[in-house]
Amino acid sequence: MNPGYAGRQELPENLKINFRTVAMMVPDREIIMRVKLASVGFMTNVVLAGKFFTLYKLCEEQLSKQVHYDFGLRNILSVLRTMGAFMRSNKENVRRQHHDEGHERHELVQTGGRR
């Protein structure tokens, strides 16, 4: 049913007449990324979604159009799901790192950026 997708075939004409034409639009990947990041537990989901969106957009535009490069929504969601699983499995390390970064930022502010 999805002729542009690998392994799919065009629907025969005698079946096409039984279906109505539907208008579709391209999904807003940045919003989808933001929601997925929030759902797997990232507090800075807005910033991360923007960075991921830019990364995937640049890769899609600048890398060659080879079959093994997949920057579709399935791949994006798979990567974000894996990030969430990694974060949950290393929850204590992530907390400690954020805590340490917070102290480092606080120290830099107090010293005026000098170490």
Side-chain angles (χ1 to χ4, degrees), residues 34 37-38 41-51 98 105:
R34 187 178 345 153
L37 285 165
F42 284 91
M43 301 300 284
T44 58
N45 54 42
V46 176
V47 174
L48 286 174
K51 289 179 180 184
H98 283 297
R105 282 191 209 116

Side-chain angles (χ1 to χ4, degrees), residues 27-72:
D28 187 344
R29 290 182 180 181
E30 191 168 2
I31 292 174
I32 294 170
M33 289 176 186
R34 187 178 345 153
V35 170
K36 186 63 178 178
L37 285 165
S39 73
V40 296
F42 284 91
M43 301 300 284
T44 58
N45 54 42
V46 176
V47 174
L48 286 174
K51 289 179 180 184
F52 260 94
F53 178 76
T54 303
L55 171 70
Y56 269 84
K57 189 173 121 196
L58 289 173
C59 287
E60 197 170 27
E61 291 171 357
Q62 295 182 1
L63 292 176
S64 62
K65 306 292 182 212
Q66 295 181 27
V67 180
H68 59 271
Y69 290 140
D70 181 15
F71 302 109

